[in-house]
Amino acid sequence: MMELDKDLFCDMVKFYGNAFHLPPLAAKIYSYLIFDFERKGVPFDEFVEVFSASKSAVSSNLNLLLNLKIISDFNRIDERKRFFVMNEKFMKIRFGEIITRMEDELSILNKLKNFRKTTDESSAQKFEIYQNLFQNNISNIKEMLDQL
């Protein structure tokens, strides 16, 4: 079993549960995997034991995390057990989705601006600031992802 900082673990469970809209056990599993710093993987039975949860509850929450691509699994050559780790590619996936949503919203706002055809300088100026904020954030996130 891994060594945890219980207060930090509780903070992480709350944060990731809210950030990723995860049920409590899925948030605990994900947070627990973050403490696997060497990425050796955590076997199914360890989750059952650590969280005193039923096998079916652990299984369904692991499947949820796998389907969301938040975690991944692997088998070792010499064992039948599956091991679970954080998905190293998840950050790229997550921020790629954020970029897509921002670009989609920016597109809708541009269509709305063209439809509205306002001559109000204050309104146009606020839109310009909002549009620049989107474009700058999209550029910054893309630049960060290119470095990963």
Side-chain angles (χ1 to χ4, degrees):
M1 301 224 202
M2 290 183 283
E3 181 181 343
L4 300 177
D5 177 308
K6 289 185 182 183
D7 290 333
L8 177 57
F9 177 77
C10 289
D11 290 343
M12 292 166 63
V13 168
K14 183 177 179 180
F15 175 79
Y16 290 114
N18 289 332
F20 301 151
H21 309 288
L22 298 174
L25 184 55
K28 287 178 184 178
I29 290 170
Y30 180 70
S31 298
Y32 189 75
L33 286 172
I34 292 173
F35 284 94
D36 181 18
F37 299 121
E38 295 175 15
R39 302 294 180 253
K40 291 181 178 179
V42 177
F44 178 87
D45 294 339
E46 188 171 330
F47 295 122
V48 172
E49 184 178 336
V50 168
F51 300 121
S52 299
S54 70
K55 289 182 177 182
S56 64
V58 170
S59 179
S60 59
N61 281 277
L62 283 170
N63 284 327
L64 170 69
L65 294 168
L66 287 165
N67 289 335
L68 294 172
K69 297 183 174 98
I70 294 174
I71 67 171
S72 59
D73 63 338
F74 64 91
N75 294 82
R76 294 186 180 142
I77 293 174
D78 58 340
E79 295 185 54
R80 287 185 55 212
K81 290 183 184 180
R82 281 173 51 191
F83 292 84
F84 300 89
V85 292
M86 291 175 36
N87 183 351
E88 297 289 331
K89 298 175 185 172
F90 180 65
M91 186 182 297
K92 279 190 170 190
I93 294 167
R94 179 176 176 218
F95 283 100
E97 290 171 353
I98 290 170
I99 289 170
T100 299
R101 284 194 306 269
M102 290 172 62
E103 289 173 337
D104 290 348
E105 186 172 354
L106 187 56
S107 173
I108 289 170
L109 290 172
N110 283 326
K111 290 175 185 176
L112 185 61
K113 176 186 170 189
N114 292 337
F115 175 78
R116 186 173 176 200
K117 300 175 190 156
T118 185
T119 58
D120 177 19
E121 187 62 34
S122 174
S123 179
Q125 198 173 28
K126 286 179 185 176
F127 178 82
E128 187 75 26
I129 291 169
Y130 197 60
Q131 185 179 32
N132 286 336
L133 179 65
F134 267 110
Q135 290 170 334
N136 289 337
N137 282 317
I138 290 168
S139 295
N140 288 337
I141 294 170
K142 283 182 176 179
E143 184 178 313
M144 182 267 311
L145 290 176
D146 287 342
Q147 295 175 14
L148 292 178

